[in-house]
Amino acid sequence: MTIMIRKTLFTVLYLLLYAAYCHAQDWKHYTADGPIYSLAVKDDTIFASGLGGLVKTHPSLNSPIIYTRLTPGFDSYTTIVHGVYLLPSGEVTMKKGTDSYIYQNGVFTKGTLPDFTTAVTDKDNNVWFGRYAEGLSKYDGQTITKFSTTLFVDDIDINASGDSIWILGNRSILLLINGVLTTEISFLDFPPNVMELYSLKVDKDSRLWVEVEEVFYPEDQDKSYTSEVLYCLKNKEWIKVDVLGEIHAMEKGSNGAVWVSTQSDLIHYDDINLKQTYPYDPKMVGVFKTTSMHAYKNGVLLGGDVGGGLYLFESGVFTKIPTSNSGLPSGSIRKNVV
């Protein structure tokens, strides 16, 4: 089960219990009670995808524009938008249900791009799309090349030079260089007691940072438990960076350093032993914290949380992006939005 499915199930189970608390924080919602799955930024315009549709906004705006299945040209059987990504052409692509769309200058056009939950752009402006159980695809602006139909892709990232694509999937880490796909790290290469691999980032020094689920005290049923752990591969050795309990999102900042969102904190790792922790302000973010992040510009981080809110994080300060209520019903009740 992918990390996104797991987090969504967690959200649905506890949504009603915490609904009153969320609204008590004076937090205006973009997408009702659903998580923000992914973020893209074009110039100063922000696009956020989630259960409530596609949101287009700007940090200084009080009223975002919200596109749903009722929007002309964006109509389909569902409002849910799983992924959104800025193409090198300046167009914004997104996946809604079984359909892909291109957005430019206020107009939606149904497209043919692959299904995706994660995407990166290489040094030649090829876009690589990945999605669990849907494989890995390359788009050069005109042609789509499918590299695998059986590969399970949980996450993909690219090194600083833009010529090596790292893929996390099939309980292994694969490397794609010059069109050749190889299994670089098998599941057996990980430290003992690692059960699942969830997400991956490649930092400014081309080191791999991987979120895993690890079992502690496996020999003792009374003491045994699992926790999400952050590992870094340095000089071919796996180094345990942190035991974080529950990781909600991981992102690479504009300077190549790694950001991690947990249940209670936003953490910045400049290096394995050099980190800064920023506790969430309960008045600024929802109960379930950050589910998606995007390196905005000039070291500013853009975040989206399960409550549907967006915020900017700069120099240790969380700043809420002004919004209005979306007016959409709860994204967790499917029959109300389909």
Side-chain angles (χ1 to χ4, degrees):
M1 184 176 291
T2 66
I3 184 171
M4 195 66 249
I5 294 174
R6 185 160 49 85
K7 297 298 186 292
T8 302
L9 288 175
F10 178 83
T11 301
V12 172
L13 287 173
Y14 288 91
L15 188 58
L16 294 178
L17 179 63
Y18 284 101
Y21 179 86
C22 286
H23 290 284
Q25 300 304 312
D26 192 29
W27 182 261
K28 300 296 185 180
H29 291 147
Y30 275 107
T31 55
D33 298 309
I36 293 176
Y37 288 137
S38 61
L39 297 160
V41 178
K42 180 180 180 181
D43 300 323
D44 282 329
T45 300
I46 298 168
F47 296 87
S49 71
L51 292 176
L54 177 73
V55 177
K56 176 187 174 185
T57 191
H58 184 281
S60 64
L61 293 182
N62 287 316
S63 298
I65 300 173
I66 301 170
Y67 303 103
T68 71
R69 67 184 182 90
L70 301 178
T71 302
F74 199 43
D75 51 335
S76 68
Y77 66 89
T78 181
T79 285
I80 303 170
V81 180
H82 284 289
V84 60
Y85 190 74
L86 178 65
L87 299 173
S89 63
E91 300 168 312
V92 177
T93 185
M94 65 216 68
K95 194 69 178 181
K96 183 155 72 84
T98 57
D99 299 317
S100 66
Y101 291 84
I102 295 292
Y103 175 92
Q104 190 171 35
N105 300 325
V107 178
F108 288 95
T109 304
K110 191 170 290 188
T112 58
L113 292 178
D115 200 352
F116 71 97
T117 53
T118 179
V120 295
T121 300
D122 67 19
K123 63 181 178 61
D124 298 317
N125 282 336
N126 298 308
V127 180
W128 298 85
F129 294 104
R131 181 174 170 86
Y132 187 77
E134 296 292 337
L136 180 72
S137 301
K138 182 183 77 170
Y139 175 60
D140 64 4
Q142 295 182 334
T143 304
I144 300 169
T145 303
K146 192 79 171 180
F147 271 74
S148 171
T149 57
T150 59
L151 181 64
F152 282 60
V153 178
D154 285 296
D155 204 0
I156 56 177
D157 201 13
I158 192 166
N159 68 346
S161 59
D163 58 5
S164 298
I165 312 293
W166 291 88
I167 305 112
L168 188 150
N170 289 0
R171 293 168 64 86
S172 61
I173 296 177
L174 298 94
L175 180 62
L176 182 70
I177 301 180
N178 297 324
V180 179
L181 187 65
T182 60
T183 300
E184 187 74 8
I185 303 167
S186 74
F187 190 77
L188 296 177
D189 295 326
F190 280 86
N193 304 327
V194 169
M195 303 298 294
E196 297 288 345
L197 315 178
Y198 290 136
S199 58
L200 168 149
K201 288 291 174 281
V202 185
D203 71 10
K204 58 185 182 297
D205 298 315
S206 295
R207 296 175 299 189
L208 300 183
W209 295 67
V210 184
E211 173 201 353
V212 307
E213 183 176 316
E214 185 171 342
V215 178
F216 292 82
Y217 306 107
E219 299 83 9
D220 189 335
Q221 292 186 352
D222 293 331
K223 296 176 62 178
S224 181
Y225 68 94
T226 62
S227 183
E228 289 176 33
V229 180
L230 188 63
Y231 275 93
C232 182
L233 184 62
K234 182 177 181 180
N235 299 326
K236 298 184 178 181
E237 177 185 0
W238 285 107
I239 299 173
K240 185 181 295 187
V241 179
D242 250 340
V243 180
L244 295 172
E246 184 166 6
I247 299 173
H248 286 189
M250 186 160 68
E251 180 60 288
K252 181 166 57 180
S254 56
N255 65 347
V258 175
W259 290 90
V260 174
S261 162
T262 70
Q263 181 73 7
S264 57
D265 305 301
L266 181 64
I267 306 174
H268 177 259
Y269 293 94
D270 231 359
D271 207 333
I272 294 174
N273 299 312
L274 184 60
K275 74 173 185 178
Q276 291 177 297
T277 300
Y278 304 94
Y280 284 120
D281 181 347
K283 295 180 181 179
M284 295 302 299
V285 291
V287 171
F288 301 108
K289 314 311 177 193
T290 303
T291 55
S292 55
M293 293 187 288
H294 183 86
Y296 187 49
K297 60 180 183 178
N298 300 326
V300 179
L301 192 70
L302 171 67
D305 76 272
V306 171
L310 288 175
Y311 67 87
L312 297 176
F313 179 80
E314 182 178 12
S315 302
V317 178
F318 294 93
T319 303
K320 180 171 63 175
I321 297 177
T323 69
S324 296
N325 284 328
S326 69
L328 294 170
S330 172
S332 66
I333 304 176
R334 183 68 61 85
K335 66 182 180 181
N336 281 2
V337 297
V338 175

